[in-house]
Amino acid sequence: MADPVSKIKPIEIPSLARSALGWPARILFPPVCAGCRRLVSRPGVLCGACWPKLRLLERPWCPVMGTPFTHNMGEGFLSAEAIADPPPFERARAAVAYSGVARQMVQGLKYQDRTDLAPWMAGWMARAGAELIAEADVVVPVPLHWRRFFRRRFNQSAELARAVSLLSGLPFAPSAVRRVKLTRQQVGLERAEREENVRAAFRVPAEAEIEIAGRRILLIDDVYTTGATVRAATKALKRGGAGAVDVLTFARVLPGDFRADESATI
């Protein structure tokens, strides 16, 4: 007869010790909802009230712009936006629609120093941009001008890009492109004004050209609104020698939803 004691799984002391050591941190810094900051079971999750307010962007979508279609339009079918105004980048993808709890998360990261949100937001980005990540050579964030960086102390796009780099194992090149023009905030600007605002705003420094020469760049930003910023950054990267550029953002203002006076859009 088999010894029943032999079937009992032994307790892993190191694991138990780690769990015990983690309790003080959980008491002092309990996990909160990434949207509304209610207490939740573990870090990086949404509460039951916030989850339904998050709209994940799913296929079918435009293969170029990543704009979701209401139904399958067939292989290779392009959105009106991609046909009427072809972008300088190859593909764009976003994890969620910029509304509801997604808006709160973006604003929390950008304006309330909630850098703890970046890894969880990057996880959703990695899911939405899996095909882009599979073909990318290096991860590059949309940069801030040094004066704005000095005031804000961090670049939200770089925080997301760093997290995507860690998740994917791709090299992280935060200095591959610089913002050389101190632009106005995009909030309150119409589409044409946004494009003019970021015209010639970016440049690849000579010492960074070797990092991007001939490579496929995964350009990271927090929100895709009209695309003016990532278009300008893409053009600079290509002038600097990049072979191709794909764009991955956490959120996307969907066509028809853009309003120039929308607070905290990019």
Side-chain angles (χ1 to χ4, degrees), residues 18-89:
R18 283 195 300 271
S19 178
L21 289 172
W23 272 106
R26 288 177 64 85
I27 293 172
L28 292 173
F29 306 104
V32 294
C33 171
C36 67
R37 309 204 73 173
R38 291 189 181 94
L39 292 177
V40 291
S41 60
R42 57 191 176 87
V45 300
L46 296 174
C47 68
C50 285
W51 179 252
K53 300 175 184 176
L54 188 75
R55 180 185 174 187
L56 297 173
L57 299 184
E58 306 276 3
R59 286 183 174 84
W61 54 37
C62 170
V64 173
M65 302 305 300
T67 309
F69 294 136
T70 55
H71 57 278
N72 195 338
M73 307 294 286
E75 186 70 23
F77 188 90
L78 298 181
S79 63
E81 181 184 10
I83 296 170
D85 188 17
F89 51 78

Side-chain angles (χ1 to χ4, degrees), residues 236-251:
L237 285 163
K238 287 191 169 182
R239 285 195 300 269
V245 179
D246 290 317
V247 174
L248 180 59
T249 63
F250 172 67

Side-chain angles (χ1 to χ4, degrees), residues 34-250:
C36 67
R37 309 204 73 173
R38 291 189 181 94
L39 292 177
V40 291
S41 60
R42 57 191 176 87
V45 300
L46 296 174
C47 68
C50 285
W51 179 252
K53 300 175 184 176
L54 188 75
R55 180 185 174 187
L56 297 173
L57 299 184
E58 306 276 3
R59 286 183 174 84
W61 54 37
C62 170
V64 173
M65 302 305 300
T67 309
F69 294 136
T70 55
H71 57 278
N72 195 338
M73 307 294 286
E75 186 70 23
F77 188 90
L78 298 181
S79 63
E81 181 184 10
I83 296 170
D85 188 17
F89 51 78
E90 272 59 41
R91 296 169 294 182
R93 298 289 183 270
V96 298
Y98 185 69
S99 61
V101 69
R103 187 198 312 265
Q104 296 169 7
M105 293 176 71
V106 168
Q107 294 180 353
L109 172 62
K110 185 174 179 179
Y111 298 116
Q112 300 165 22
D113 295 345
R114 292 289 311 279
T115 54
D116 58 293
L117 294 176
W120 315 112
M121 295 164 75
W124 285 326
M125 292 168 67
R127 173 183 176 273
E131 60 183 324
L132 277 57
I133 289 171
E135 298 177 20
D137 296 312
V138 61
V139 177
V140 174
V142 169
L144 288 176
H145 188 271
W146 68 267
R147 291 184 183 176
R148 192 157 288 150
F149 180 86
F150 182 77
R151 289 198 300 269
R152 195 176 291 172
R153 303 189 306 277
F154 73 96
N155 175 5
Q156 73 280 358
S157 299
E159 295 300 316
L160 292 171
R162 183 181 291 106
V164 169
S165 172
L166 288 172
L167 286 172
S168 64
L170 291 169
F172 175 49
S175 301
V177 62
R178 290 179 184 167
R179 192 183 292 247
V180 295
K181 174 183 170 185
L182 183 58
T183 55
R184 298 164 57 194
Q185 290 281 1
Q186 296 278 61
V187 178
L189 300 184
E190 298 289 348
R191 291 177 185 270
E193 293 174 317
R194 287 170 179 252
E195 292 175 6
E196 183 59 32
N197 188 39
V198 294
R199 192 184 306 279
F202 302 98
R203 186 174 66 219
V204 174
E207 64 271 19
E209 290 179 0
I210 193 170
E211 292 185 279
I212 66 169
R215 295 184 173 181
R216 192 175 196 103
I217 308 301
L218 184 62
L219 183 63
I220 302 291
D221 207 357
D222 54 354
V223 182
Y224 186 112
T225 307
T226 65
T229 300
V230 293
R231 283 170 182 260
T234 294
K235 290 175 182 177
L237 285 163
K238 287 191 169 182
R239 285 195 300 269
V245 179
D246 290 317
V247 174
L248 180 59
T249 63
F250 172 67

